[in-house]
Amino acid sequence: MSPLRRSAGLFTSSVVRVMVLVVVCGAAIAADKPVQDPSVGPAAPSIYPQVHLQQPSRGYRTAPLAVSAAEARAREMIEAALQKRCEDALDFSDMPLRDVVSSLGETWNLPIRIDRKSLDEAGIDPETSITNVAVKGETLRGVLQAVLDDIDLTWIVAGERLVITTKEVAGGALITRLYPLPFGTAKQPVDFQPVIDAIVNTIGSPAAWADQGGDGQIRPAEGGEPMLVVSQTEELHAEVEALLRGMHDRALAEFLDDAGQPRRTPVVRIHRCADKKTRDELVASLAGLCNAALAADGDPAAKVTALGQHIVVQSSKADFQALAGQVVAATVGVRPLPSSGLGEAGFSGQGNAGFGIRNVAVPQPNPQPGNANEAGQGAGAGPAAAGAGPAAAGAGPAAAGAGQAQARAPAPAAAPPAPAPPIYPQVHLQHPSRGYRVALLARSEAEARARKAIDAALRKGLDDVPEFNDKPLRDVVRTLENLWGLPIRIDHKSLDEAGIDPETSITAVGAKEETLRSVLQAVLDGIDLTWVVRGERLVITTTEKAAEMLATRLYPLPLGTANPPVDFQSLIDTITNTVGGPSVWADQGGDGQIRPAEGGEPLLVILQTEAIHGEIEALLRGMHERALAEFLDATGQPRRTPVVRMYRCTDKNVRDELVAKLADLCNASLAGDGDPAAKVGALAENLVVQSATADFHALAAQIVAATVGVQPRQPRPTGNFCGGMGGGSFVGTPHPVPQEATEGQGGMGMGSHAP
């Protein structure tokens, strides 16, 4: 026998031995996997006996910490002064900084100090002249921003004084504050993590927080009222408060009418209570308990009734609903809901492998992150990096090896019992027909009013917009201020750095009914400038500077996407893949962030530039209006014929109760926006809801989900790859559909795994 043939025989023999070893090891690994015991039932609900009297209608209040009563009083006075508006005209043009600070202290009756040491170290003279700052009717916070931004200074609260200092010093001056959880997120069991994730991913840069190498810290405080303890700079504290206040106010809006006054029709909340005796006791005593604690803030008209194995609480008062939810949780116990947020990152196998055995992995009830072992075997049933779902699985050919691999069918898995559908007790009164509304975040009530005025002005068209022929930019800005009654500031520092003179001539043609947004675009595009909203003003700045100035906003989910279980990931993928390009989002190396906010009304918290925010709002508003179109006739008016929705409900008793009560429940809450002609019937094991009103269908869908439960979406099946010898590599991809096991060339190979 020739040496070559003898080598080939030895090689083939080695391949066979290794393939047997790989198959045996694979079977052993599979055998070691824990199998869910079908006899084990669901865990008993946990009891959370903490009941804290909440009165969310009194507003969102943070707690600044102070070392003495005198310091506490001083901080309250400083906070009040920062929000106080001065109606007099103030002109600080060409005034030394020292004189400006003295004037501000006298105007607002507040001690303000200049940190001379930090200014000296930064080479900034207190005699530096302030350029072109003239204000009227603005708060101290807004004036300080206008005065200090152009000379790269800021302010902090130190002890009992407001101090003017450099941004470097302010960035290292951390202070600690206590933040209550926004209304709707403090239900038992309290889940701090989604709120913490929303804060650290959308407030400041990631480097501002300790888990990314910064100094900022955020921790939950449990035991009494659930709170967050946050250590951060003064500037970022203002943004944290704006976000949490925005979430709180957004959740409270359900209890207000269009004029912002307390509503008179009830809001519905549904709580699970399987024990009939406990349910009957709560129906009899819950309203009395809550009203006794709330006194004048209670709701004598509140109703508590039973619906299937649930308690239905109807009240128009947020305070009543908050306390009732805690009393029920403390009495009945609650099970944590499955998270619908972002999942844990999975692993994809990567190793040197030849053609090998491919088979389909049966999805496991508790998928684990996949990896690759030293034999080049990739596995892939686990959460993917972008959310709950299958991780990458080894699949695909690598470089050819020698030898014949044997087909191996997947081992049959014991089918676990079908779980009961999860209950989603979140019911939020929705009025989608009133339009899509984005929540602009503000650090104070004055800033909130200013931002609403700016947003309204940007959309407002004027009958006659003048032409600008060779007019200096500075004069154009003053003209626009007067026409739209809006404070507009030029960012002189960024224009100087870009070599753009505020006296640059502008030529633009006005048009009838043109909005301020359109005029600004026509004026600024030709000189590479743009605008942003900063504080209480609209600011003209460079496009480069605007790209660095990220703002956080809250976006409600469009109609049809907020029904339980909410699929945030699908909507997040749509936004990050179609708006602004991948490079503007953090997962592709950009700065933009997007996170779900659960607990109250489902929202998206998004950190992005002003321009990208405009595109996101246009997308979500378009989706919302498209879904609403089904409820309009050809002329855009509300339709008169009903729209049909169907819901699975196999329990006849619950189905009969919903048929009897659902329409009345919805119409009691919606009042003038309800549908007296709506019908609810049964069809086999389904509920049929007929209504011509979008508001009715939106609320009905949530009540059914809270009462009946809904099945979450099933994960896609994934593929497995067992590799052999060769010089190639494999990177896993999920199989869209199961496939039969196939044969392939294989041999001995070495693999590695990479996250």
Side-chain angles (χ1 to χ4, degrees):
M1 182 181 294
S2 69
L4 181 61
R5 183 169 296 182
R6 186 183 303 113
S7 298
L10 291 172
F11 179 82
T12 303
S13 176
S14 299
V15 167
V16 171
R17 291 193 193 99
V18 171
M19 288 303 300
V20 170
L21 179 62
V22 168
V23 172
V24 171
C25 289
I29 292 170
D32 286 338
K33 290 183 179 178
V35 178
Q36 182 174 340
D37 185 354
S39 65
V40 177
S46 302
I47 300 297
Y48 295 83
Q50 303 94 327
V51 178
H52 304 283
L53 182 61
Q54 289 183 314
Q55 293 175 299
S57 62
R58 297 187 180 181
Y60 185 81
R61 302 175 184 178
T62 61
L65 305 182
V67 297
S68 66
E71 184 174 308
R73 288 193 297 270
R75 288 187 173 238
E76 287 180 5
M77 183 176 69
I78 291 170
E79 187 60 35
L82 286 167
Q83 299 192 44
K84 183 180 177 182
R85 192 179 300 276
C86 178
E87 299 300 335
D88 297 333
L90 302 174
D91 190 345
F92 300 121
S93 300
D94 299 323
M95 279 182 66
L97 172 63
R98 178 174 50 79
D99 294 345
V100 172
V101 170
S102 176
S103 175
L104 293 177
E106 292 175 3
T107 302
W108 271 272
N109 191 27
L110 191 72
I112 305 177
R113 180 173 67 85
I114 295 177
D115 180 2
R116 294 180 181 273
K117 180 182 177 183
S118 69
L119 266 66
D120 287 345
E121 291 173 350
I124 300 174
D125 190 341
E127 298 298 321
T128 299
S129 293
I130 302 302
T131 307
N132 298 312
V133 176
V135 297
K136 182 179 180 180
E138 292 197 34
T139 64
L140 176 58
R141 187 188 296 272
V143 175
L144 284 170
Q145 183 179 332
V147 168
L148 301 176
D149 268 3
D150 284 345
I151 52 176
D152 215 24
L153 295 179
T154 187
W155 58 269
I156 59 174
V157 178
E160 301 174 23
R161 285 196 168 207
L162 191 149
V163 179
I164 308 299
T165 188
T166 62
K167 291 183 177 179
E168 290 74 20
V169 169
L174 300 185
I175 57 177
T176 302
R177 287 190 178 181
L178 292 174
Y179 292 89
L181 292 180
F183 177 54
T185 63
K187 301 171 185 174
Q188 304 289 359
V190 179
D191 188 1
F192 290 95
Q193 199 56 49
V195 181
I196 292 175
D197 287 345
I199 292 172
V200 299
N201 285 287
T202 64
I203 298 298
S205 66
W209 300 96
D211 59 353
Q212 296 292 329
D215 298 320
Q217 294 278 1
I218 181 168
R219 290 291 185 274
E222 301 180 78
E225 178 187 1
M227 306 191 83
L228 292 173
V229 185
V230 181
S231 173
Q232 257 304 351
T233 63
E234 191 78 50
E235 181 180 4
L236 292 189
H237 269 301
E239 294 186 28
V240 171
E241 182 175 351
L243 171 61
L244 298 183
R245 187 189 303 278
M247 293 172 65
H248 181 87
D249 291 345
R250 183 78 195 190
L252 266 187
E254 185 178 2
F255 294 87
L256 304 174
D257 60 21
D258 280 350
Q261 298 301 310
R263 60 179 291 127
R264 297 181 180 181
T265 52
V267 169
V268 175
R269 289 289 182 267
I270 296 179
H271 307 276
R272 178 80 166 172
C273 182
D275 184 83
K276 185 179 185 304
K277 182 180 178 182
T278 305
R279 193 163 64 243
D280 291 344
E281 288 189 40
L282 282 168
V283 167
S285 60
L286 182 60
L289 270 174
C290 293
N291 281 324
L294 291 166
D297 292 318
D299 183 6
K303 294 181 181 178
V304 182
T305 56
L307 179 60
Q309 293 188 339
H310 298 79
I311 294 167
V312 181
V313 180
Q314 295 173 268
S315 172
S316 60
K317 297 287 188 72
D319 300 343
F320 187 99
Q321 291 285 13
L323 186 56
Q326 289 188 309
V327 172
V328 172
T331 308
V332 177
V334 286
R335 289 189 180 94
L337 296 177
S339 173
S340 56
L342 301 182
E344 178 186 353
F347 292 85
S348 60
Q350 191 171 35
N352 295 325
F355 285 117
I357 303 171
R358 183 178 69 186
N359 69 304
V360 174
V362 178
Q364 298 297 314
N366 297 301
Q368 300 297 321
N371 55 29
N373 62 26
E374 291 187 355
Q377 180 180 5
Q404 184 72 24
Q406 299 298 317
R408 176 166 64 91
I423 299 299
Y424 294 81
Q426 304 95 325
V427 178
H428 303 283
L429 183 63
Q430 291 182 317
H431 293 277
S433 63
R434 296 183 184 178
Y436 185 81
R437 303 176 184 179
V438 177
L440 304 175
L441 302 184
R443 294 174 288 186
S444 65
E445 292 182 8
E447 186 172 298
R449 289 192 297 269
R451 292 199 169 215
K452 286 181 181 177
I454 292 171
D455 190 57
L458 287 167
R459 302 170 190 268
K460 180 182 176 183
L462 295 184
D463 290 338
D464 190 16
V465 178
E467 295 184 6
F468 301 112
N469 293 315
D470 294 326
K471 197 169 185 178
L473 173 63
R474 191 194 312 276
D475 294 345
V476 171
V477 170
R478 296 292 167 261
T479 301
L480 297 180
E481 275 189 317
N482 294 330
L483 285 173
W484 271 273
L486 194 70
I488 304 176
R489 183 173 70 84
I490 295 176
D491 180 0
H492 289 276
K493 182 183 177 184
S494 67
L495 266 66
D496 288 344
E497 292 173 351
I500 300 174
D501 190 342
E503 299 298 324
T504 299
S505 293
I506 301 296
T507 299
V509 178
K512 267 196 169 185
E513 293 298 326
E514 195 167 12
T515 64
L516 176 58
R517 185 187 298 271
S518 175
V519 173
L520 284 170
Q521 183 176 347
V523 167
L524 302 176
D525 272 1
I527 52 175
D528 204 25
L529 296 180
T530 187
W531 59 269
V532 296
V533 178
R534 182 163 168 79
E536 301 171 26
R537 284 192 164 208
L538 191 149
V539 179
I540 307 298
T541 188
T542 62
T543 53
E544 292 79 7
K545 185 68 174 177
E548 300 171 2
M549 300 170 70
L550 305 184
T552 304
R553 289 188 180 179
L554 292 174
Y555 291 85
L557 274 59
L559 174 64
T561 63
N563 294 336
V566 179
D567 184 6
F568 286 101
Q569 193 56 52
S570 176
L571 195 55
I572 290 173
D573 288 346
T574 298
I575 294 171
T576 56
N577 285 286
T578 63
V579 175
S583 61
V584 304
W585 299 99
D587 58 356
Q588 296 292 330
D591 297 319
Q593 293 277 2
I594 181 168
R595 287 293 184 275
E598 301 178 80
E601 176 189 3
L603 298 163
L604 290 176
V605 187
I606 301 181
L607 175 72
Q608 261 301 351
T609 63
E610 196 76 47
I612 300 297
H613 272 304
E615 294 183 35
I616 294 170
E617 182 175 351
L619 170 64
L620 298 183
R621 187 186 301 279
M623 293 174 64
H624 181 86
E625 292 174 352
R626 183 74 185 185
L628 264 184
E630 184 179 5
F631 296 90
L632 304 175
D633 61 21
T635 64
Q637 298 301 309
R639 61 182 289 156
R640 297 182 179 180
T641 54
V643 171
V644 176
R645 294 284 186 270
M646 297 184 69
Y647 306 94
R648 184 76 166 168
C649 182
T650 57
D651 187 311
K652 184 180 185 303
N653 292 332
V654 176
R655 193 165 64 244
D656 290 345
E657 288 196 52
L658 282 168
V659 168
K661 299 178 181 179
L662 183 60
D664 289 340
L665 269 175
C666 293
N667 282 323
S669 291
L670 292 166
D673 294 318
D675 182 5
K679 295 180 180 179
V680 181
L683 181 60
E685 293 187 330
N686 299 277
L687 282 171
V688 181
V689 180
Q690 300 177 73
S691 173
T693 306
D695 300 345
F696 186 99
H697 273 298
L699 186 56
Q702 293 184 80
I703 291 175
V704 172
T707 310
V708 178
V710 285
Q711 291 287 5
R713 294 169 178 82
Q714 297 299 317
R716 296 177 182 175
T718 60
N720 251 351
F721 186 89
C722 298
M725 183 176 181
S729 64
F730 68 88
V731 176
T733 54
H735 283 294
V737 294
Q739 300 179 17
E740 296 295 329
T742 58
E743 292 186 1
Q745 299 293 328
M748 181 173 66
M750 297 298 291
S752 62
H753 75 273

